[in-house]
């Protein structure tokens, strides 16, 4: 059975961003973040037991972000290089889980951070 989520739960418009490294005129590396796509999401802070379970697989996971499946989430290795932003908050994506491999719901395991690079 494929998992489903009610539309009414996806109330936060987040921006999925991808890191881009370029060189400036002096040859220095410059890191910027380009928008991949805005998507609606459910953002949940993990409770103590969920966080402990998540951290046994990934480091410093503090939030689960649930979104509808989109082609941008097809390759988990690429998604792990993305970040999500919402209202000035930055979430570093650690993993993307395609629930039941059904291409319906993706859970992004993320750590809230202050880093821009």
């Amino acid at each position: 059975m494929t998992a489903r989520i009610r539309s009414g739960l996806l109330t936060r418009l987040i921006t999925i961003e991808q890191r881009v490294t370029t060189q400036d005129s002096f040859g220095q590396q410059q890191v910027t973040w380009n928008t991949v796509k805005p998507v609606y999401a459910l953002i949940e802070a993990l409770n103590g037991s969920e966080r402990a379970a998540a951290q046994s697989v990934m480091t410093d996971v503090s939030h689960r972000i649930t979104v509808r499946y989109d082609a941008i989430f097809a390759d988990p290795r690429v998604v792990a290089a993305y970040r999500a932003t919402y209202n000035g908050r930055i979430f570093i994506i650690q993993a993307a889980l395609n629930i039941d491999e059904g291409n319906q719901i993706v859970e992004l395991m993320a750590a809230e951070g202050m880093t821009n690079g």
Side-chain angles (χ1 to χ4, degrees), residues 12-14 18 24 31-32 45 48-49 52 60 73 80 87 90 93-94 98 102 104 107-109 114 117:
R12 310 281 191 245
L13 183 59
I14 65 171
Q18 183 174 31
D24 64 14
V31 174
T32 57
S49 61
D60 199 30
F73 304 119
N87 269 0
I90 298 171
I93 298 171
Q94 305 288 330
N98 185 352
Q104 297 285 323
E107 287 185 352
L108 305 173
M109 305 306 287
M114 301 292 288

Side-chain angles (χ1 to χ4, degrees), residues 58 65 67 69 72-82 93-99 101 105-110:
M58 296 155 272
I65 302 171
V67 297
Y69 179 84
I72 66 170
F73 304 119
D75 186 348
R77 293 168 297 180
V78 173
V79 177
Y82 292 163
I93 298 171
Q94 305 288 330
L97 309 172
N98 185 352
I99 303 302
E101 296 296 324
I105 299 171
V106 175
E107 287 185 352
L108 305 173
M109 305 306 287

